[in-house]
Amino acid sequence: MANPNQEIKYTKLFINNEFVDAKSGKTFVTLNPATEKPIASVAEGDREDVDEAVRAAKVAFARTGPWRQMDASGRGRLLNRLADLMLRDIDTLANLESLDNGKTFGDSTFDINCAIDTFRYYAGWADKIHGSTVPSDGPVLTYIRKEPVGVVGQIIPWNYPILMLTWKWAPALAAGCTLVLKPAEQTPLSALHMAALAKEAGFPAGVINVVNGFGPTVGAAIVAHPDIRKVAFTGSVETGRIILNGASTSNLKKVSLELGGKSPLVIFNDADLDEAVEIAHNAIFANHGQNCCAGSRTFVQEGIYDAFVAKAAEMARQRKVGDAFGDGVQQGPQVDEEQFKKILSYIESAKGEGAQLQAGGNRGGTVGYFVEPTVFSNVTDGMKIAREEIFGPVQSILKFSTLDEVIERANATEYGLAAGVVTKDINTAITFTNAVEAGSVWVNCYDYVVPTTPFGGYKQSGSGRELGYSGVELYLETKSVTIKLPTKV
């Protein structure tokens, strides 16, 4: 049940299965983006707290410790138990998510159900990670082992707090790693409740650690720490570069990055117009536009362009914006003031560059970080809103003529996270999906992400793939073992 007055139980750091104050005693305030008022003061970690968390994770990863000695099937049972507890506490988690992030209670509940599915999926992988034997020449036996990387650092964003936590925790724990997680400073509350559930589920001390704080302190300490063997990060391209550089100058730790996007959604003349408008609407406005694979460049073929623009603008005008707990609300506030101002500046840029404003374009109300669902037509490839990631509820509609043309334009970006195509012609669909440079491509749908399929990007949208078995592989080392056999019997 939705409850905007949800009690905040956990505000400290979580290290070695205990909630503790930051060593400095410092705290920071997390705000409700709908009211701009404080929700709670949260412990602010620093390098010393990361050191303590890594020590705990390192002890938990010790060869003779309970985590390494646990059967693989036992890890799977713990992951399933954590999923059970999430289901029990789903309203609490959704309330925390909506308070801290601003997304609607319904969206938060949907995200948590997806997170539960992800934990259950990786629970099934825990005892199915295995190597192989190799037919080597000579009197030898050769086999390949798959082993956990060790202590991993994980840094997640604020747009899908619990879901991104799950994408990091579940495969790492299935593989047998221990971890130190930094949640986004804007949205730490649900991660701390998840830490409490992990302890209740029975994960041994030190396996899971959560250190709240900021990128230049906690994030930098994770990246630089010599005992962390891998960093997994989801966030902006700019921060991804900083992490990659930091990892290369510390201990050359492994790095996986899921970064930004400027994803094309291409709609052809033969598409069902109403269906296409709805697909495109959800592709950009879902999660308030705060989605790394949002369909933020809507390419529409010239034969239906004007009709599409009219219907898209009307659908945007009908979208209800308000507090996350309000009846019928489809879009809450942006996550914080910085993001709010950034989106409004992109809107002003588009107006100045000659894009045609069809809907929205303003702040919503006078309190809270609300932005009206905004639609621009007559957008061209060189405009700022067509080149840069806005991460907000701004639909940019571009016109195209031919399949070959739109493929070239779709690929003319530094990003390559996702893409979509809406058409009734299977030849058009396959030609586009084969040619577009993107890690996920959706045909006659968009943003259909499930735990079984790898997710990640081409070009500057990242490296590595999360979800599916690819997600487990991010946390594994490969060891070749060769044994000389006796030549006489």
Side-chain angles (χ1 to χ4, degrees), residues 266-276 304 422-424 444:
V266 178
I267 297 166
F268 284 87
N269 287 334
D270 65 348
D272 179 283
L273 185 59
D274 289 337
E275 180 185 33
I304 59 170
V422 183
T423 179
K424 294 177 182 176
N444 295 331

Side-chain angles (χ1 to χ4, degrees), residues 20-201:
V20 297
D21 292 318
K23 291 186 178 297
S24 67
K26 291 194 295 185
T27 63
F28 66 95
V29 173
T30 183
L31 295 176
N32 181 336
T35 65
E36 303 179 46
K37 294 180 180 178
I39 304 170
S41 291
V42 179
E44 181 183 340
D46 208 330
R47 184 175 300 277
E48 289 184 343
D49 303 291
V50 171
D51 288 343
E52 187 69 22
V54 173
R55 278 193 290 270
K58 192 175 179 182
V59 169
F61 191 72
R63 184 172 58 87
T64 57
W67 185 239
R68 293 292 294 281
Q69 293 296 308
M70 184 180 294
D71 290 338
S73 59
R75 297 199 301 272
R77 284 190 291 272
L78 286 180
L79 288 167
N80 268 320
R81 174 62 177 151
L82 180 54
D84 292 340
L85 294 174
M86 292 176 70
L87 188 59
R88 183 197 70 186
D89 284 8
I90 190 167
D91 284 351
T92 298
L93 289 166
N95 284 321
L96 292 172
E97 201 85 327
S98 292
L99 281 170
D100 222 8
N101 171 278
K103 66 176 67 190
T104 68
F105 181 79
D107 283 352
S108 293
T109 302
F110 177 83
D111 287 356
I112 295 161
N113 276 308
C114 292
I116 290 169
D117 290 344
T118 303
F119 273 117
R120 296 208 190 283
Y121 172 76
Y122 281 108
W125 267 117
D127 61 359
K128 299 171 186 66
I129 301 167
H130 54 77
S132 59
T133 57
V134 177
S136 298
D137 290 349
V140 296
L141 167 66
T142 300
Y143 62 91
I144 311 300
R145 284 176 52 84
K146 294 291 187 178
E147 299 179 351
V149 167
V151 179
V152 299
Q154 302 178 322
I155 303 171
I156 59 172
W158 44 260
N159 58 333
Y160 293 96
I162 284 182
L163 201 52
M164 293 298 97
L165 174 150
T166 303
W167 285 22
K168 298 292 186 287
W169 281 15
L173 296 169
C177 295
T178 59
L179 61 91
V180 178
L181 176 89
K182 184 195 109 52
E185 58 268 26
Q186 296 91 338
T187 54
L189 298 180
S190 55
L192 294 172
H193 194 92
M194 285 294 296
L197 294 186
K199 180 177 180 178
E200 184 180 351

